[in-house]
Amino acid sequence: QVQLVESGGGLVQAGGSLRLSCAASGRTLSSYVMGWFRQAPGKEREFITSITWSGGITSYVPSVRGRFAISVDKSKNTVYLQMNSLMPEDTAVYYCAARVISDRTYDDWGQGTQVTVSS
């Protein structure tokens, strides 16, 4: 099992930036994919981006592509989500998650961090 702890959420004005961090521990992550999801009030949790730990292959949903960037710092066992040009519709609880690269489902989740974008 991978333990995940997110940090970096907060309140920001529209157009601003935030960087979320996800500290991972408990397993060797070379065969893992790390993902970020978010859940807005009254909506289902949605996938927004992922990265392979070893090769840095990324994937983004259209709504965040070009504004958000996912990265890995292997020396710190940490995944980052740099969020730029934030919009009120980005307001949500953001979750970090991990899955084995051969699996389709994310089995390990962090507790979430709140991001609120004011207009």
Side-chain angles (χ1 to χ4, degrees):
Q1 187 176 8
V2 180
Q3 288 79 48
L4 302 169
V5 179
E6 302 101 332
S7 61
L11 174 64
V12 63
Q13 288 189 333
S17 298
L18 278 176
R19 189 179 76 160
L20 305 183
S21 301
C22 173
S25 61
R27 287 286 181 98
T28 300
L29 298 170
S30 57
S31 60
Y32 275 75
V33 177
M34 308 301 294
W36 284 97
F37 292 71
R38 66 185 180 187
Q39 187 168 19
K43 295 187 177 181
E44 292 187 354
R45 186 163 55 190
E46 66 169 342
F47 166 83
I48 56 174
T49 183
S50 66
I51 187 168
T52 59
W53 187 271
S54 59
I57 299 171
T58 58
S59 175
Y60 296 91
V61 296
S63 61
V64 306
R65 187 177 294 124
R67 298 189 300 123
F68 291 10
I70 189 171
S71 62
V72 166
D73 186 333
K74 296 178 184 178
S75 68
K76 297 181 179 179
N77 255 29
T78 298
V79 181
Y80 298 101
L81 181 63
Q82 178 67 43
M83 305 186 295
N84 300 324
S85 302
L86 283 161
M87 302 182 292
E89 47 264 49
D90 294 316
T91 294
V93 178
Y94 283 71
Y95 297 90
C96 177
R99 65 174 173 87
V100 176
I101 199 166
S102 57
D103 290 348
R104 292 189 174 187
T105 59
Y106 287 82
D107 293 320
D108 300 303
W109 294 83
Q111 82 286 355
T113 185
Q114 176 70 47
V115 172
T116 303
V117 184
S118 64
S119 56

